[in-house]
Amino acid sequence: MLNHLQFAVVALLAVPLLRERVTPVMWLGLAGLLAGALLGTDAGALRWNGGAALVLASTLLFGAGFVVARHLLRELSTSTVMVAKMTAGSALLVAYSAATGRLGAVAHLSGRQWSFVLVSGAILVAFTAATLVAIRYAQVTSVVAIGMAAPAVTLVLQEAAGRAVRPAPADLGALAVTVLAVLVVIAAGVRAEQAAAPPRRLAPTT
């Protein structure tokens, strides 16, 4: 559940730090996202341990990272922010692998394993590029909240690939609430952007 709360972290940081205007309708949509996350969670299976602490830290860093990126995009180009983000992430990953003594395993990867590395890396680059372009022109709160629809998209893709998974009724209800909440957030975000845009001046007529 913790990793599904990035949108809440972003909203709580973006309002005071970026001065984003979150309308009551958008707060309603965010509350719906929280409800969807709770409905899809087995409360009895929740345990606080080292793994949960890492997931919480990841969630906080993910949210804070996109808020920082939105701030930087006010002064820097999308490509500059993207390169800095990917370079810093790669450097930290290499440093962690070296510190834990696992960096040498890279030399023993098979061709198939390298193909997975390249494909997953390309997907990560595409995700980062698309997200940064989106938050350059829209509220970061809205953009990150849209990502909550990912489980529904995954379900559709699995169905299309012939690997259908039959979710429990409670999970389907949670997905329905989440998708509806995402649509509310999108609509509220579009209206907020339109309201914040300067009025267009009509050309003088002769």
Side-chain angles (χ1 to χ4, degrees), residues 103-178:
L103 188 59
V106 173
H108 303 289
L109 293 178
S110 65
R112 181 176 176 82
Q113 289 171 323
W114 272 114
S115 67
F116 278 108
V117 170
L118 294 175
V119 170
S120 60
I123 293 174
L124 177 59
V125 170
F127 165 79
T128 303
T131 305
L132 290 178
V133 170
I135 65 176
R136 185 177 188 86
Y137 298 105
Q139 289 184 319
V140 66
T141 302
S142 302
V143 173
V144 175
I146 293 172
M148 287 293 292
V153 174
T154 301
L155 190 63
V156 172
L157 292 176
Q158 288 177 324
E159 183 74 31
R163 300 177 181 177
V165 177
R166 296 290 177 256
D171 293 332
L172 285 176
L175 285 175
V177 170
T178 299

Side-chain angles (χ1 to χ4, degrees), residues 27-73:
W27 281 120
L28 179 63
L30 295 175
L33 291 178
L34 180 59
L38 292 175
L39 287 172
T41 300
D42 181 4
L46 295 178
R47 297 289 185 275
W48 180 257
N49 50 34
L54 289 175
V55 172
L56 177 60
S58 172
T59 300
L60 295 174
L61 291 172
F62 179 93
F66 278 105
V67 171
V68 171
R70 180 66 178 90
H71 173 72
L72 294 176
L73 285 169

Side-chain angles (χ1 to χ4, degrees), residues 169-206:
D171 293 332
L172 285 176
L175 285 175
V177 170
T178 299
V179 171
L180 179 60
V182 167
L183 294 176
V184 171
V185 170
I186 292 174
V190 170
R191 293 190 63 179
E193 292 291 333
Q194 291 175 341
R200 297 179 60 183
R201 295 183 178 180
L202 298 177
T205 58
T206 57

